[in-house]
Amino acid sequence: APPAAAPAAAGADSGAAELPPAAEDGFPVDVCPELPDLSEHYSYTAKVLQDEPDLYGRLRSLTTSNGVTLARCIKPGMDSKGHSMFRIAGLVAGDAESYSVFGPLFDKVIALRHKVEVDCVHPHDMDASKVGKTRRGGRMVPSDPVDPDEEYVISVEIRARRNFSGKRLPPAMLRSQRREIEGKVAKSLLKIGGDYFPVRGSTSYAAKPQGMSEGEQAALDAEGLLITEPDARLLISAGLAADWPDARGVWKDEWNAAWVNYDDHLSVAVTKGGADLEGAFGGLVGILHSLETDLAADGFTFMKSDRLGYLTTDPTFVGSGVRATATVLLPFMSSQPKELKALSEERQVTITRAAEENTWRVTCTESMQYSAVEIVNRLGAAVTELVKLENVRKRETQLLQKQKTREEESVQAGAVDDKVAADSDAKPAAAESPATQAAAPEPAAPPVPNIDFSAPESLPDLAKHQSAVGKVLAKNSGLYSALRELKTGLNSSLMQCIREGVEDATLTGSGMTVVDEHCYDVFEALVNQVVEQCTGFPTGSNHPVDLNVAKLPEGTLGLEDSDVRFVQVEMRRNFSGVRFVGAATADERREVERVVARALLGAVEGDYYPQTGSTSYAPKPNGMSATEAEMLKSLTASMFGDLVMPAHRAGAISAEQWPDARGVYAAASGNVVVWVNHEDHLRAFVRRTGADISAAFKELVSVVGQVGVGAAEASPEIKGFAQHSRLGFLTTDPARCGTALKFTVAMSCPSFIQDQALVDNLAASYGTSVELTGDGLVFTYEALPGRSEIDAAKHVTRAAAHVRGAERRLARGAPIFEKQDGLGAEPLQGTISSKESPSLLPDLSKHHSDVAKILREHPEVYAQLKDVRTASGSTLARCIKPGIDVKGDARMPQPGIVAVDESCFTVFAQLFDPIMERRLQHGIAAQHTTDLAAAKVRGDVLDRSGDYIKQISFRTGRNLRGLPLAGALDVLQRRELERVLVRSLLHLSGEQVGDYFPLRDSTSYVPKPNGMSEEEEKRLEGQQCLFHEPDSKVALSAGVGRHWPDARGVFYSSCKDWFAWINQEDHVKLTVVEKSSNFKKGFTRLVGLLEHLEQFVKEQDFEFMHSDRFGYLTSDITNLGTGLRVAVSLHLDHVDSDQVAEVCKGYDLVCTGYGFETSVSNKKVLGKSEVQIVNDLVSALEEILKMEEAAASTAGPPCA
């Protein structure tokens, strides 16, 4: 067991008066004022202070030796009233002494919160051997198996919170103290394995001075491990957001994770697949013991009280500080909420829905009255009973189904699958170690070459040099002087990196040979410019690393093996801790060869073949034989060609001591080849016949990943792959850093290659090099920094799909010049043309749109209108084309008609009016009320806890009078719209300011003549504010996609809380995102934007389309009126979707969702004003939140 904490006074921080500042408003932290009225507060702290009014007076003037006041401790409970149905503790500890100095208050709050006696003693037990056992007859015996068939429990997770003795807790920590803890803890965690990722923007961790990269952040977010800045009032009042994000971070390895300096100094979580509670708890105990043992040398021990157990910031978690959770698949019990609730109450666990269907999270959290072992075993007992109940329900269902089958006299029909959940994927057996080779004396390493790497005072004239490094140094001569005498931690010099580039004027490419990982930092000023010149990757940008192959789609996305002859993916890697090939000593290079060959022999069936003449590899002391070389060529000649690595040209640094410790690993299958110590430590290839690009990429990631792990385990010098926080994976040639990936795809496309314009477009659009080969082509894509590995694989798949699609369209004679049907100069080619209305309509008997129904019932209407045109010259055919081209679905009929300009509502009223009345219940005499008075909106702060309402989005469209709507615009009109709207939006100021990003490849906007960059596109995509070309036949038939992507784009605010789409389906569509429950605030911002936009539009002689009858006019008639769509994202643990839907029905709202994530939005936009829409949502949510809070109060785990 960890040693008990030192007395609180010992090791107290110096400068007791120096404490972090308070939150900007609310209750003070330095002195206690008169106690406010607590009659409407519902925290346990408020209850104690109300029951014992004199207690506040006795404690208010006390402070701990660290200067922590009572005010600082109770501020969260004073600022946040809480709720009568969900009480919070309402106080936090600023240090260990807080529990004793303010003990009369803390003890009573703990007793109320945990339902224990005030003087109770926490039972400490961290003996992992007791997990999975129960006491029977005075002795410990194994418990029943939790999931004997391994069929239901998906995973288990056990977490523990810990703080360090003598250190202030997060509410009272200074920046320097937080950084000290981060440094010590991160260092100890890295000794266990894995990697540490400081929160993005934190500058406290030297190894990653800007925090985690965008890719790392996205990966952690996808795994649910990311910590974000506290935004709830309670947490901010507790001081947990102070100096954010400084010195906070996440550590993770394969199964384990830890969070540093969030609400406690340290939280550790261990996850195991299946019901392995013993393994999870044993792993947790092991990590905690390892940390405390390692940190003890620096005087760090866990903060612990003999009576209260482990001390935490929030007294809710004192005691064991442990929470245990199991994720369980319950297909049959999911329909038995009463039984689940009963079990929850009986076993004192919480049972809540997980995101996946029929999946539940079972959690045991009460930590004061139970030891850690008891908590884990209580969880095991609860899940054991759940599994038994699930099996009972399963058998009952099967018997009922069999009875029903017999009654229907169909033995085979409706047979029940006896397996309700898929078995866990079988783990591959560990590869056997290669046979032990006979001991042999290690051959001597070749002599070290004598190369002069001294840096001259000045460089030769570089004006005619072709390499990037030559051009950069020629342009900035002072850069060389600033860097020439610097050395890396491995004693590498600048001249080692640039010698070839400055000596050979004809050398192209980067001209640099990076010789160890630290060169990227020590010579950063030069490397960054070289990388930017070679790849276009801007200095200051961060490369997103993403190797989560689960994000790749399964299958070939429509590609067939007949389309693709082969796919080859190549990945380069270098190891951290040793010099790269260009400067490696013979011993370093041989160590790399040894560990890579060993790892590959355990990962991929095959053999390692050192280059002929190499004496470094004992099993083949003279390198590969001539027979082996021929064998390699014949094995994979059709795949890779000559497998023998080419030696570098004479004089290249990487060629020194050639061919010692270089070689090729070849898989027996012929699909995997790895070059060792060529230009980089590792250059791996996977090639597959056929079209499955994802499968080839996944195999490569797996092989290289196993090599990285195996090498680090086998060598104390090697620390995994060299990776940079900004530039991704590091390579000898800096122009290849980032993903260090290269894709080659050979395709059969005889028609495609006949059109040189199409070939050129493939190269330009997808950044590929293309080589024609007989009846097809081979295109190569080298992924540059800025695009993640997953995105690169998807990009290559899209490029192949582009060729395949074009080839097939060419084969059937379809036009392809404008890329895709409906995205060129004309709408989708369908049943009728948009230019002229046909004299007779086609048969509409099987059409299911509103317009088809009316034209069937009243054919005379078409006869009367077919030759009429609108004010802009548009035909009736252009309006009804979507409903004629697309038959639709009888279950979900569409309007089938679109507005093409303002006049069509009157010119074609004989069609529009009955559709409005049938679909929107808006008759001829109806009027629409517009009301944008934000002061009338209710719901300033609807969810004060911040636990339920996560986000509100307000979206509405506007169109400019005097121009056609989206489907009828020509190129010049659309560009004029873009000019007017962007100019107006750029006039915005203050918090509304932003910038315009035309869609990629749009050439209409002069400041960005090629549209947004790839990096900007990726950023907007990540923020979920990018729109893409339409792909529905209805939209394409309506003409919305014509001339795509010309004159379309996104205006994005600098505050990232609103954006506007230009020329999507409306002329402009505004979206405001409110990250709180304040409806009035969000609506006020939307109205402000609309008012400013309208003002600037009028200055350019335009105004918004609006009518008294229909409100704001849009091309899609279902958006007429307000055009306002308000969507509220909710997190509800207890109220199910049926209950929410019932409330929404009464307010004419729509409820969608999955698991405990629910979205509520308005259904009606015409006939209700904007204020009515928002206030109806507020009223509905007030009811829903009351139901959730009421359910939460009864569903929580009561304490014994």
Side-chain angles (χ1 to χ4, degrees), residues 527-653:
V527 173
N528 286 348
Q529 293 185 59
V530 169
V531 169
E532 184 166 359
Q533 180 151 332
C534 290
T535 68
F537 186 63
T539 299
S541 299
N542 292 313
H543 170 76
V545 174
D546 187 356
L547 287 164
N548 183 1
V549 295
K551 296 180 180 179
L552 288 176
E554 295 295 334
T556 61
L557 297 182
L559 290 168
E560 298 178 1
D561 289 348
S562 58
D563 300 318
V564 181
R565 293 201 296 269
F566 70 80
V567 177
Q568 179 174 300
V569 192
E570 170 189 338
M571 182 182 286
R572 297 168 182 257
R573 290 291 185 266
N574 290 285
F575 291 113
S576 175
V578 293
R579 296 172 184 84
F580 292 0
V581 176
T585 64
D587 288 340
E588 287 174 324
R589 197 166 48 251
R590 289 185 171 201
E591 178 67 357
V592 168
E593 179 188 51
R594 180 186 72 82
V595 298
V596 170
R598 176 179 175 179
L600 285 167
L601 285 166
V604 181
E605 183 180 356
D607 202 0
Y608 176 66
Y609 302 91
Q611 287 289 92
T612 302
S614 172
T615 61
S616 57
Y617 187 60
K620 296 182 173 70
N622 296 310
M624 71 178 79
S625 66
T627 302
E628 288 170 332
E630 289 301 317
M631 181 272 294
L632 285 176
K633 292 179 182 179
S634 62
L635 177 66
T636 58
S638 62
M639 303 293 284
F640 295 94
D642 190 352
L643 285 179
V644 179
M645 286 193 303
H648 287 281
R649 62 190 181 282
I653 297 175

Side-chain angles (χ1 to χ4, degrees), residues 115 318 348 350 448 607 691 753 788 800 810 833 837 865 914 954 1133 1200:
K115 293 182 173 60
V318 295
Q348 298 183 29
T350 59
V448 177
D607 202 0
I753 63 173
S788 74
L810 285 169
S833 168
S837 300
L865 300 178
F954 302 82
D1133 286 323

Side-chain angles (χ1 to χ4, degrees), residues 70-103:
L70 175 67
R72 185 176 292 273
C73 294
I74 66 173
K75 178 177 171 60
M78 299 298 102
D79 288 351
S80 301
K81 292 183 178 180
H83 196 282
S84 60
M85 295 182 178
F86 183 74
R87 289 184 183 269
I88 57 173
L91 82 166
V92 292
D95 57 9
E97 276 189 72
S98 299
Y99 282 92
S100 54
V101 173
F102 310 118

Side-chain angles (χ1 to χ4, degrees), residues 813-968:
I816 192 174
F817 181 76
E818 295 291 343
K819 307 290 193 306
Q820 295 181 35
D821 192 10
L823 301 181
E826 299 299 331
L828 184 75
Q829 292 187 14
T831 307
I832 64 173
S833 168
S834 63
K835 296 179 179 178
E836 297 290 341
S837 300
S839 56
L840 295 174
L841 284 173
D843 178 17
L844 301 179
S845 61
K846 295 184 179 179
H847 284 59
H848 302 292
S849 62
D850 295 342
V851 73
K853 180 176 176 62
I854 290 174
L855 290 173
R856 284 199 307 266
E857 295 173 352
H858 301 283
E860 72 279 3
V861 171
Y862 181 75
Q864 294 168 12
L865 300 178
K866 66 182 179 66
D867 296 323
V868 178
R869 290 180 179 264
T870 68
S872 66
S874 290
T875 63
L876 174 66
R878 188 180 288 277
C879 293
I880 66 174
K881 181 175 169 60
I884 306 302
D885 288 349
V886 183
K887 291 182 178 180
D889 190 329
R891 296 167 297 181
M892 297 179 63
Q894 298 295 315
I897 191 169
V898 293
V900 294
D901 62 24
E902 187 170 3
S903 69
C904 67
F905 292 102
T906 53
V907 173
F908 302 131
Q910 290 168 273
L911 272 179
F912 277 94
D913 284 351
I915 291 175
M916 299 286 194
E917 189 162 2
R918 291 186 183 191
R919 177 168 286 274
L920 305 175
Q921 295 79 51
H922 198 74
I924 296 175
Q927 298 288 299
H928 174 79
T929 300
T930 295
D931 187 353
L932 290 164
K936 297 180 183 178
V937 169
R938 301 193 305 109
D940 288 359
V941 182
L942 196 59
D943 173 18
R944 295 189 180 279
S945 71
D947 294 334
Y948 307 118
I949 296 179
K950 301 304 179 184
Q951 175 179 296
I952 313 167
S953 67
F954 302 82
R955 175 172 293 178
T956 190
R958 294 290 187 267
N959 294 282
L960 302 193
R961 180 162 282 151
L963 289 169
L965 291 166

Side-chain angles (χ1 to χ4, degrees), residues 44-87:
Y44 290 111
T45 298
K47 177 173 174 53
V48 172
L49 293 177
Q50 284 178 293
D51 291 345
E52 298 183 50
D54 62 329
L55 185 59
Y56 182 74
R58 299 203 314 266
L59 301 178
R60 62 187 295 187
S61 61
L62 302 180
T63 62
T64 71
S65 60
N66 285 313
V68 177
T69 63
L70 175 67
R72 185 176 292 273
C73 294
I74 66 173
K75 178 177 171 60
M78 299 298 102
D79 288 351
S80 301
K81 292 183 178 180
H83 196 282
S84 60
M85 295 182 178
F86 183 74
R87 289 184 183 269

